[in-house]
Amino acid sequence: KKIYKMGEIEVRALDGVDINIERGSIISIMGPSGSGKSTLMNLLGCLDRPTEGEYILNGVNVSKMNDDQLAIARNQLVGFVFQSFNLLSRQSALANVELPLRYGGISRNRKEKAIEALQSVGLGDRINHKPSELSGGQQQRVAIARALVTNPAIIMADEPTGNLDSKSGKEIMDLIISLNQTRKTTIIIVTHDPGIAAQTQRIVYLSDGKIVSEEFPA
C-alpha cells in the first residue's frame, strides 16, 4: 500500500497491490490517469517505499531501506527509460551512458562498458554525438544503453515510445523485446498504448490503486 495524507484526506494511491514478476519476463502496466501506475512504477524502481507491505527485489527487501540504501539499490538494480529521454544535452552519448557507473563509483572499464552498451543498441558509430545531433529514436537508444550499462535486475520503461513517430516507436519496441529475449533482462513498461502492451507477455491493469485484471497476450 502507498497512502498519502493531504490534510484530513487520505489518498490510497496503491490499495493492496499484490504482484509477483518473474525474472526475465517483460510485462506492461496499464490503467487510466490516477489509477496508481506512476506510484507503482516509483515503488518498483526504488524511487519510493511502500507505506505498508513489502517489496522484494532480486532477493533484497527494499521496503526496509533508508534513503541512502535505496539510492544504492536504485543505481545497482534498476535501469530507467523515460518518455522524454532525460539525456544531458551538452554531453556525448558515451558520457550519458557512463553516468550510472560514475554515480555508482565504478571507474574500472567504465568507458568500455558504456561503449559495449551503445553497441548493443546499434549506436557504436554515434558514441561521440550529442543528443542534438541524434534523432528521437537514436536518443531513446542512448537512454536504453544507459539503463543497461549497470546490468540491472529490472528496466523500468515509462511510455518509452511516447515521444516518437510510429516507425521509430516500432524500432524501439523491437529493440526492447530483443534485449529481453537475448539478455533475459526483466522489463516493466508503463504505457497508455494498447499496441505497446500487446507486445509484452503480460498486461496488468490498475484502477483506483488496485489490480483489477491481467491478460497474457499470445
Side-chain angles (χ1 to χ4, degrees), residues 2-107:
K2 186 64 182 180
I3 302 167
Y4 297 99
K5 296 287 181 65
M6 301 175 67
E8 297 295 315
I9 301 173
E10 187 177 85
V11 178
R12 292 179 170 265
L14 292 177
D15 194 11
V17 167
D18 188 3
I19 186 170
N20 183 57
I21 298 170
E22 294 183 5
R23 186 191 303 270
S25 62
I26 177 169
I27 82 163
S28 50
I29 298 172
M30 297 192 74
S33 296
S35 62
K37 296 191 306 298
S38 295
T39 303
L40 182 57
M41 187 187 78
N42 289 343
L43 292 185
L44 296 177
C46 300
L47 292 164
D48 202 355
R49 289 178 292 269
T51 308
E52 297 178 25
E54 290 188 324
Y55 172 36
I56 310 296
L57 171 59
N58 216 28
V60 178
N61 190 347
V62 175
S63 37
K64 303 295 188 230
M65 291 181 173
N66 61 35
D67 288 346
D68 290 341
Q69 292 170 325
L70 204 62
I72 292 169
R74 186 164 60 243
N75 178 266
Q76 295 179 350
L77 297 177
V78 187
F80 290 94
V81 179
F82 298 99
Q83 178 176 343
S84 54
F85 318 137
N86 285 17
L87 301 176
L88 298 180
S89 61
R90 296 184 180 181
Q91 299 291 329
S92 66
L94 181 63
N96 270 283
V97 174
E98 282 187 69
L99 275 179
L101 300 174
R102 287 183 184 276
Y103 291 149
I106 297 170
S107 56

Side-chain angles (χ1 to χ4, degrees), residues 73-190:
R74 186 164 60 243
N75 178 266
Q76 295 179 350
L77 297 177
V78 187
F80 290 94
V81 179
F82 298 99
Q83 178 176 343
S84 54
F85 318 137
N86 285 17
L87 301 176
L88 298 180
S89 61
R90 296 184 180 181
Q91 299 291 329
S92 66
L94 181 63
N96 270 283
V97 174
E98 282 187 69
L99 275 179
L101 300 174
R102 287 183 184 276
Y103 291 149
I106 297 170
S107 56
R108 187 178 179 184
N109 299 328
R110 187 167 64 205
K111 182 176 180 180
E112 290 80 2
K113 289 178 180 178
I115 291 173
E116 182 184 349
L118 283 162
Q119 289 172 337
S120 74
V121 299
L123 286 182
D125 59 343
R126 296 285 191 274
I127 63 173
N128 294 315
H129 287 59
K130 293 180 180 177
S132 60
E133 300 167 329
L134 300 171
S135 68
Q138 289 171 332
Q139 290 183 60
Q140 194 60 298
R141 287 174 183 265
V142 174
I144 292 170
R146 181 183 59 192
L148 284 171
V149 75
T150 58
N151 195 27
I154 57 171
I155 287 180
M156 302 293 307
D158 186 11
E159 299 285 3
T161 64
N163 276 357
L164 303 175
D165 60 67
S166 57
K167 180 175 180 292
S168 298
K170 182 182 184 305
E171 291 173 354
I172 290 299
M173 274 307 295
D174 288 347
L175 173 61
I176 288 173
I177 291 168
S178 172
L179 291 169
N180 169 254
Q181 292 173 343
T182 58
R183 297 174 65 121
K184 304 305 179 187
T185 303
T186 307
I187 298 175
I188 303 169
I189 301 174
V190 176

